[in-house]
């Protein structure tokens, strides 16, 4: 019905209805769980340490004199507030007196000095997002004192019991389950072991798998998943016409070999690595802490993935390339994983540096081993067998590491320490500083020092006392411990991340938290099967992708049967394919592809993605921590200040308005219409059919051709009419979803 509106106002109304359809969604239960876990992690790593260090002395049950009747040592007390009113009002920044005080807008708290801008920003973000606070009733006494030695700290943990948690048990290849003889005759036969595990689970629950999706759907789904781009009409036609038994497998191999594979999958890694090109706080024009050549790290990630670099090598180079391949300085670009992290002013301050070390501990452990180690900064982890000593053992590695702007060439002017004076003439990496072991900072307070902790790995991930790190800062030792095949987590964590992208939901709903407070896997046998074989296959990510994409489970139709809808509405059991919304990168790239203007050049400096004349892929967008590009932020691009375990999906009026009026969409529609006029026959029905093939990978229906032709004729049948029609198609639901 939308296409029957013929006035310009009517076009906007039509686009509005289409946009509503395009950006609708259903929140899955696992997504809600993941958000809650992430909010708790943020509180434990970013908020609780600040309250303990800066507020408890005057505003807790242990304060010698309670100031202003205010306690901040429990959720209820903080929300109740003191003499002046509530300190924390979830979701209401203006009404939260705590924020007013730390900004020095009325009260000036803490009185010893204003908190760093990043800490204030964390407090504001916490309150704005709902002030999730897992603390229960207010404590009546001080927290248990920090143990004086590692051995004493470990006395309180039953390590045998701790290591019995499923994620801390090394994965073993499971036995194949039996399948009933009465399989669904319409479903594709299993193509590998993972299908057998999924089918067996469905049978136990009384469900059947869906039939295989048709070939047009498969080629479109696989193209978006493998390379992040839609297939051309010629590619769709060729695959539909190819009747050879290995046609689908050859399609997989062709797409995995395409250079666009690295561009598509690099984005997942950059989200985890909190890739950014500047800092959240810049004083005046001082950009000395920014990273103008950050794109070199992005290019390295793309190239490494295209080359199918083994994942253990991929990780090791990012932590310790300078120690691993010292004779090949080109590998040092990989150190941007650490070298592009947040940096703060007043870097001579121990308090400031402790914040930087915390970022490194958090990013490395959540990204690579799926544990929230940063939650143990002020106290033993509340949920997992991670002692405060474990945290400082890892923080010591980064305290022994120096952020380093390595000169690009001999022409770069150098400072006293060998760094390039101008960041624009440098590669942003790290190098070893003087090795140092840190004291435990009791309750996170750098002025209250406990025992010294040797640099080492997490005790729970080994069979006994971990050995101290011996090579320089310890980055190489840390990398080896993470990629050790005996480590029960590393392979599982990356398998889960790749599975989530291919199937629309992870096996473990909390991808960066495999601890006891995270979610257990929905298919533990599948996770362990794939983790074991990832290592056995030389850590090849392309081999893993090949198996996921070739599986009958992946090839299912997205149409759910009535039984599945009733008994498994979240599709936890994988009885059908999940309908998936495109990321902002894939959506924008699809617009440019339909318009025929997408550039295919790989690598290079960053772009401004919402400029109408910018034609490069969205992966190359500049990622600003200070002010994220408004279009990217509007469409759920993650905050580059912090590790992001998965994208959220929101539906907002601004998204709809952007589709209706945004210069990028308008320009894409005009170019799309011009392409139709240039490449398609002049007959309206044939031109409309070509538009559908370019944008959706399918022919238009008779009704779609008729409605489109009526609309264009009634609107003037000129270039402007075709541009408006093209914009309607770009705004439609089918553009935004994989299938």
């Amino acid at each position: 019905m939308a296409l029957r509106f013929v006035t310009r106002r009517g076009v906007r109304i039509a686009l509005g209805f289409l946009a509503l359809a395009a950006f609708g969604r259903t929140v899955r239960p696992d997504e809600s769980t993941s958000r809650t876990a992430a909010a708790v992690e943020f509180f434990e790593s970013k908020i609780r340490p600040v309250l303990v260090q800066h507020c408890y002395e005057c505003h807790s049950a242990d304060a010698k004199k309670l100031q202003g009747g205010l306690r901040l040592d429990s959720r209820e007390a903080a929300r109740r507030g003191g003499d002046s009113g509530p300190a924390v009002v979830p979701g209401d920044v203006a009404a939260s007196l705590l924020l007013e005080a730390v900004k020095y807008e009325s009260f000036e708290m803490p009185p010893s000095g204003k908190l760093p801008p990043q800490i204030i920003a964390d407090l504001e973000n916490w309150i704005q997002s709902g002030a999730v606070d897992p603390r229960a009733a207010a404590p009546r006494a001080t927290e248990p004192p920090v143990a004086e030695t590692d051995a004493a700290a470990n006395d309180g943990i039953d390590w045998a019991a701790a290591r019995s948690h499923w994620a801390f048990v090394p994965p073993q290849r499971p036995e194949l389950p039996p399948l009933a003889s009465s399989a669904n005759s319409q479903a594709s036969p299993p193509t590998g072991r993972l299908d057998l595990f999924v089918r067996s689970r469905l049978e136990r629950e009384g469900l059947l798998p869906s039939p295989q999706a048709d070939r047009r759907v498969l080629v479109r789904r696989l193209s978006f998943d493998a390379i992040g781009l839609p297939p051309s009409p010629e590619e769709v036609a060729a695959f539909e016409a190819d009747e050879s038994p290995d046609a689908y497998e050859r399609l997989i191999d062709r797409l995995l070999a395409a250079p666009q594979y690295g561009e598509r999958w690099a984005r997942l890694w950059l989200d985890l690595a909190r890739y950014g090109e500047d800092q959240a706080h810049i004083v005046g024009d001082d950009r000395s802490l920014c990273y103008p050549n950050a794109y070199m790290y992005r290019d390295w990630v793309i190239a490494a993935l295209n080359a199918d670099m083994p994942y253990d090598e991929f990780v090791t180079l990012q932590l310790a390339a300078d120690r691993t391949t010292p004779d090949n300085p080109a590998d040092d670009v990989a150190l941007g994983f650490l070298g592009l992290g947040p940096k703060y002013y007043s870097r001579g301050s121990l308090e400031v540096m402790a914040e930087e070390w915390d970022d490194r501990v958090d990013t490395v452990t959540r990204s690579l081993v799926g544990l929230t180690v940063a939650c143990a900064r002020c106290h033993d982890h509340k949920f997992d067998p991670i002692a405060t000593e474990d945290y400082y053992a890892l923080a010591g590695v980064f305290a022994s590491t120096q952020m380093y702007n390595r000169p690009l060439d001999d022409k770069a002017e150098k400072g006293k320490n060998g760094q390039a004076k101008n960041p624009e003439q440098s590669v942003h990496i790290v190098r070893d500083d003087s090795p140092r072991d840190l004291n435990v900072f009791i309750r996170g307070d750098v002025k209250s020092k406990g025992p010294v902790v040797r640099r080492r790995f997490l005790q729970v991930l080994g069979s006994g006392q971990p050995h101290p790190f011996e090579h320089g800062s310890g980055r190489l030792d840390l990398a080896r411990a993470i990629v050790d095949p005996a480590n029960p987590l590393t392979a599982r964590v990356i398998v889960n991340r790749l599975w989530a992208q291919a199937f629309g939901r992870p096996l473990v709903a909390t991808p960066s938290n495999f601890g006891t407070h995270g979610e257990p896997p929905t298919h533990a046998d599948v996770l362990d099967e794939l983790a074991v074989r990832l290592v056995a296959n030389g850590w090849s990510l392309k081999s893993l992708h090949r198996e996921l994409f070739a599986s009958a489970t992946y090839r299912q139709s997205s149409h759910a049967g009535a039984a599945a809808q009733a008994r498994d509405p979240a599709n936890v059991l994988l009885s059908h394919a999940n309908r998936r919304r495109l990321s902002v990168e894939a959506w924008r790239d699809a617009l440019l592809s339909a318009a025929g203007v997408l550039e295919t050049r790989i690598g290079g400096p960053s772009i401004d993605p919402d400029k109408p004349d910018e034609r490069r892929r969205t992966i190359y967008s500049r990622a600003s921590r200070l002010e994220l590009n408004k279009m990217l932020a509007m469409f759920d691009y993650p905050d580059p200040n912090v590790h992001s375990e998965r994208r959220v999906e929101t539906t907002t009026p601004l998204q709809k308005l952007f589709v209706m009026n945004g210069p990028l969409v308008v320009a894409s529609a005009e170019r799309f219409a011009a392409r139709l006029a240039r490449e398609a026959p002049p007959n309206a029905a044939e031109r409309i059919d070509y538009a559908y093939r370019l944008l959706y990978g399918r022919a238009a229906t008779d009704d779609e051709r008729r409605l489109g032709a009526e609309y264009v004729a009634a609107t003037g049948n000129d270039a402007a009419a075709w541009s408006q029609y093209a914009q309607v198609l770009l705004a439609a639901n089918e553009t935004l979803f994989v299938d």
Side-chain angles (χ1 to χ4, degrees), residues 344-365:
Y344 307 116
Y345 294 99
S346 303
R347 304 189 75 245
S349 163
L350 181 59
E351 184 176 10
V352 168
M353 294 311 298
E355 292 299 317
E356 291 191 13
W357 304 334
D358 184 75
D359 164 81
R360 299 348 171 224
V361 171
D362 186 53
T363 300
V364 168
T365 56

Side-chain angles (χ1 to χ4, degrees), residues 153-154 156-169 371-373 375-376 379-391 456-462 466 489 513-517:
N154 295 338
I157 297 177
D158 182 341
W159 289 105
R163 293 186 178 113
S164 67
H165 174 60
W166 72 266
F168 303 146
V169 176
L371 290 177
T372 58
V373 176
C375 294
H379 47 72
D380 291 348
H381 201 291
K382 295 295 185 184
F383 311 110
D384 295 332
I386 301 171
T388 306
E389 285 79 8
D390 282 320
Y391 172 87
R456 57 168 175 77
F457 197 44
L458 303 173
Q459 183 160 341
V460 74
L461 297 185
L489 284 172
N513 184 1
F514 277 51
T516 59
H517 203 56

Side-chain angles (χ1 to χ4, degrees), residues 27 105 169 176 326 522 604:
V27 178
E105 293 176 348
V169 176
L176 283 176
T522 58

Side-chain angles (χ1 to χ4, degrees), residues 383-666:
F383 311 110
D384 295 332
I386 301 171
T388 306
E389 285 79 8
D390 282 320
Y391 172 87
Y392 286 96
L394 295 183
V397 173
F398 304 110
S400 305
T401 303
Q402 180 185 79
M403 304 286 276
Y404 177 49
N405 280 339
R406 193 192 73 189
L408 276 173
D409 50 43
D410 294 335
K411 298 178 182 179
E413 186 179 359
K414 303 177 184 63
K416 291 181 180 180
N417 61 358
Q419 294 198 72
K421 285 188 173 181
N422 184 351
E424 294 183 358
Q425 297 178 320
S426 69
V427 181
H428 319 296
I429 60 174
V430 296
R431 64 180 179 182
D432 277 3
D433 203 349
S434 300
R436 61 186 293 197
D437 293 320
L438 290 178
N439 299 86
V440 169
F441 298 154
I442 298 175
R443 292 191 172 185
D445 184 354
V446 299
K447 301 182 183 66
S448 181
K449 296 183 179 179
V452 173
V453 183
R454 296 287 300 276
R455 284 164 289 134
R456 57 168 175 77
F457 197 44
L458 303 173
Q459 183 160 341
V460 74
L461 297 185
S463 57
Q465 288 286 343
H467 297 291
F469 292 162
E470 299 175 349
H471 299 87
S473 65
R475 287 181 289 116
L476 179 57
D477 303 83
L478 175 60
R480 287 172 174 168
I482 288 173
V483 301
D484 187 330
N487 185 330
L489 284 172
T490 304
R492 280 177 171 140
V493 169
I494 190 61
V495 164
N496 188 57
R497 297 194 194 283
L498 269 57
W499 179 282
Q501 295 284 311
F503 290 91
R505 59 172 297 135
L507 295 168
V508 177
T510 49
S512 293
N513 184 1
F514 277 51
T516 59
H517 203 56
E519 289 293 303
T522 58
H523 296 73
D525 44 11
V526 173
L527 183 62
D528 282 6
E529 167 76 18
L530 295 175
V532 168
R533 285 195 290 109
L534 173 65
V535 177
N537 291 335
W539 295 90
S540 168
L541 298 185
K542 283 192 177 183
S543 292
L544 176 59
H545 269 132
R546 186 174 292 107
E547 179 166 3
L548 298 182
F549 294 150
S551 69
T553 304
Y554 177 83
R555 288 191 266 181
Q556 291 181 110
S557 165
S558 59
H559 296 288
Q565 292 182 33
R567 298 176 59 180
D568 184 26
N571 197 27
V572 171
L573 302 178
L574 300 169
S575 64
H576 56 278
N578 288 305
R579 295 187 184 276
R580 287 176 289 138
R581 177 170 149 179
L582 295 177
S583 66
V584 62
E585 292 92 343
W587 177 68
R588 177 181 174 274
D589 292 351
L591 299 188
L592 297 179
S593 177
V597 298
L598 182 69
E599 274 192 35
T600 58
R601 176 167 52 95
I602 307 294
S606 296
I607 64 167
D608 183 349
D610 57 2
K611 286 186 175 179
D613 293 332
E614 183 53 69
R615 302 182 177 191
R616 303 208 64 205
R617 291 194 69 176
T618 318
I619 178 70
Y620 299 110
S621 299
R622 182 173 181 271
S624 172
R625 293 181 175 128
L626 178 66
E627 186 178 4
L628 185 61
N629 176 275
K630 290 182 173 57
M631 184 197 76
L632 296 180
M634 188 188 308
F635 290 99
D636 307 319
Y637 188 96
D639 180 359
N641 286 286
V642 293
H643 161 97
S644 176
E645 66 175 10
R646 63 187 297 184
R647 297 283 180 95
V648 299
E649 293 178 359
T650 63
T651 303
T652 70
L654 287 178
Q655 294 169 348
K656 304 176 184 69
L657 290 171
F658 184 86
V659 171
M660 293 168 63
N661 303 300
L664 170 67
V665 182
V666 172

